[in-house]
Amino acid sequence: MTPLPLAVAPATATAFTQRFSSTPRGARLARRLALHQLDAWGVPHGTTASDTAAVLVAELAANAVTHGRVPGRDFELVVRLTGRTLRIEVSDTRGERRPLSGAVAEPPPLAEEGRGLLLVAALADRWEVLDRAPIGKTVAVELELPR
C-alpha cells in the first residue's frame, strides 16, 4: 500500500448528525452538542452566529419534542456547514402535524404557545418544511454566517 503524499490535506467533516431522545433533556443535549460542533468548525461560543444557531436549534428541538413526539421514537438533528451557510435540520416522526413553510401566523395575544416559529422566521435567512422518508417531517433553516 502506497502512503498518501504529504501535499494531500485530510478531509474535514462539515456535517454533524445525531439522534436524541424526544425529551426536554434530549433537546437540551442537541443544542449543546450543536454548539460544540460549531466551535470545532470555527464558529466560537458567544459570537452572534453561535448564539443565533443556539436559539434555532433549541426552538426546533423543543418543537420536535413537544409537537412531533411519538412515544419510543427519537428526533434527529443535522448540522451542515457549507462555505458560509449553516444549515440546521430537525426531523421528527410526526408527519401529520406540519407548520407551513415560510408562513407564520401571529398567535393571539394571550396564547401560551405558537411563538416559536416566529423566532425561527425572524432569525433564519431561510426555512422550510420537508417530507421525511419513510415517515415524518424535517424543518430546515439556513443561516448565512458573517465572514
Side-chain angles (χ1 to χ4, degrees):
M1 186 153 136
T2 308
L4 290 174
L6 293 177
V8 176
T12 56
T14 55
F16 170 78
T17 303
Q18 181 71 46
R19 287 190 178 166
F20 298 93
S21 63
S22 290
T23 63
R25 185 176 184 180
R28 189 172 49 251
L29 183 59
R31 180 183 54 81
R32 293 185 61 146
L33 289 179
L35 293 181
H36 177 74
Q37 185 61 59
L38 288 176
D39 188 58
W41 288 340
V43 181
H45 290 286
T47 61
T48 301
S50 177
D51 291 347
T52 301
V55 172
L56 291 170
V57 171
E59 186 53 43
L60 295 179
N63 283 351
V65 167
T66 304
H67 306 294
R69 182 174 187 275
V70 174
R73 301 281 178 111
D74 296 339
F75 74 92
E76 182 177 66
L77 170 69
V78 177
V79 180
R80 288 188 181 94
L81 184 60
T82 306
R84 300 307 303 164
T85 301
L86 176 65
R87 184 174 175 91
I88 300 165
E89 300 174 359
V90 175
S91 301
D92 63 54
T93 54
R94 199 100 191 245
E96 72 276 8
R97 297 189 71 185
R98 297 175 64 103
L100 298 173
S101 292
V104 182
E106 182 80 29
L110 299 178
E112 293 185 12
E113 58 183 38
R115 290 178 178 77
L117 287 178
L118 287 173
L119 283 172
V120 170
L123 294 175
D125 293 310
R126 291 168 295 284
W127 72 280
E128 61 184 339
V129 181
L130 306 166
D131 290 328
R132 179 178 186 226
I135 57 171
K137 67 182 172 298
T138 298
V139 180
V141 298
E142 289 187 347
L143 183 62
E144 296 298 329
L145 301 179
R147 298 229 171 248

